[in-house]
Amino acid sequence: MSEERTRPPEGDGNAEMWRTILTGQDPSLPALRRRFSRIPSDPRCKMCAAPFRGPGRLVTRLMMHGQSSSNPMLCNLCFGNLRKGPGGAEIEISVLFADIRGSTGIAERTSAGEFRRLVQQFYLLAAKAIHEHDGIVDKFLGDGIMALFIPVVTDDLHAIRAIEAGEAVLRDVAERQLVAGGVRVGVGVHTGQAFVGTVGSDDRLDFTALGDTVNVAARLGSDAGAEELFVSGVAWAAAGRTDVLERRHLSVKGSAEPLEVVVLREAAAAVA
């Protein structure tokens, strides 16, 4: 993920409106997400949590919240609203990245169909763990997943929820068939200021997060070993965690000081 690609947009005239929405000061979106979250099933709209599968699909389609053909991660109504009021705001969030370790080797020793099945099973289990901890699946990244934990969904508990989701991902993907297929996963979590809002234009518009916080979370996710969760010291402190666990220091591009990282492993996550 390049520095240029993740630089936040400048000069956004809708920043205050977006900040009100993203921090949960506008109660309409949290209320809508709560209602839709009671209806099965995943996947869901990034913004309003309208279900795109199962019985809920029929209900939300009648309410104009059916899955957008332009952006499958959003419903038609949310995508339309984002096009009318594009922009965003810089707020504090937590970001999670989870990746399959050694996916190239797995692909080389299995058939294309079997590799796709393993990756899809990883997606399903990881996304479920993220949703259950109030995260928003932002992207599927080939052999990885990116998730956002934003105050509009989590209140001020985004760091806590992100770490809990990371622990849950490690536990859940230690499923027998995935392990037998050679799937091992590393996870990273970081907390900080990020631009959250829309990027792109017209029919290519997306809702996402950009900035150094996202870059650092991606770095932690790529550096974590198999069955390890790397949590930045910033995220650990924001979550109020005081566990005495292994700590490391990683060099991060653009930072003069090494980043302190707390290391959790799948066995510890299972106990937690």
Side-chain angles (χ1 to χ4, degrees), residues 75-90:
C75 73
N76 286 312
L77 195 58
C78 287
F79 182 73
N81 287 335
L82 291 178
R83 291 181 67 180
K84 293 175 185 176
E90 290 196 27

Side-chain angles (χ1 to χ4, degrees), residues 34-215:
R34 284 194 296 272
R35 287 198 295 271
F36 279 146
S37 294
R38 300 189 186 103
I39 307 174
S41 65
D42 296 335
R44 297 174 179 274
C45 173
K46 281 187 189 181
M47 292 291 291
C48 70
F52 295 149
R53 297 289 184 274
R57 179 184 182 186
L58 300 177
V59 176
T60 52
R61 285 181 68 182
L62 290 174
M63 298 172 63
M64 303 300 293
H65 283 274
Q67 191 170 22
S68 168
S69 58
S70 299
N71 186 333
M73 300 293 279
L74 295 169
C75 73
N76 286 312
L77 195 58
C78 287
F79 182 73
N81 287 335
L82 291 178
R83 291 181 67 180
K84 293 175 185 176
E90 290 196 27
I91 61 170
E92 185 178 85
I93 65 170
S94 294
V95 184
L96 177 152
F97 276 83
D99 297 282
I100 297 175
R101 294 293 169 263
S103 59
T104 301
I106 298 172
E108 288 175 347
R109 62 177 179 266
T110 61
S111 67
E114 174 63 9
F115 181 66
R116 185 262 179 196
R117 187 192 69 78
L118 290 170
V119 172
Q120 182 65 15
Q121 184 67 6
F122 158 68
Y123 283 162
L124 292 173
L125 292 172
K128 183 174 183 291
I130 289 163
H131 286 310
E132 288 176 347
H133 291 85
D134 301 324
I136 297 173
V137 173
D138 183 78
K139 292 178 180 67
F140 295 108
L141 302 163
D143 60 354
I145 190 169
M146 170 183 169
L148 309 177
F149 296 80
I150 303 175
V152 65
V153 184
T154 64
D155 294 322
D156 295 328
L157 306 177
H158 51 86
I160 295 174
R161 294 287 183 263
I163 295 171
E164 290 175 343
E167 293 172 325
V169 168
L170 287 185
R171 287 196 304 270
D172 294 353
V173 300
E175 188 260 348
R176 183 173 59 84
Q177 291 186 346
L178 285 181
V179 172
V183 173
R184 301 290 189 276
V185 175
V187 185
V189 171
H190 183 48
T191 296
Q193 292 287 317
F195 171 87
V196 181
T198 57
V199 295
S201 61
D202 300 326
D203 288 343
R204 304 295 296 176
L205 202 65
D206 192 15
F207 173 79
T208 189
L210 305 174
D212 187 59
T213 294
V214 178
N215 293 340

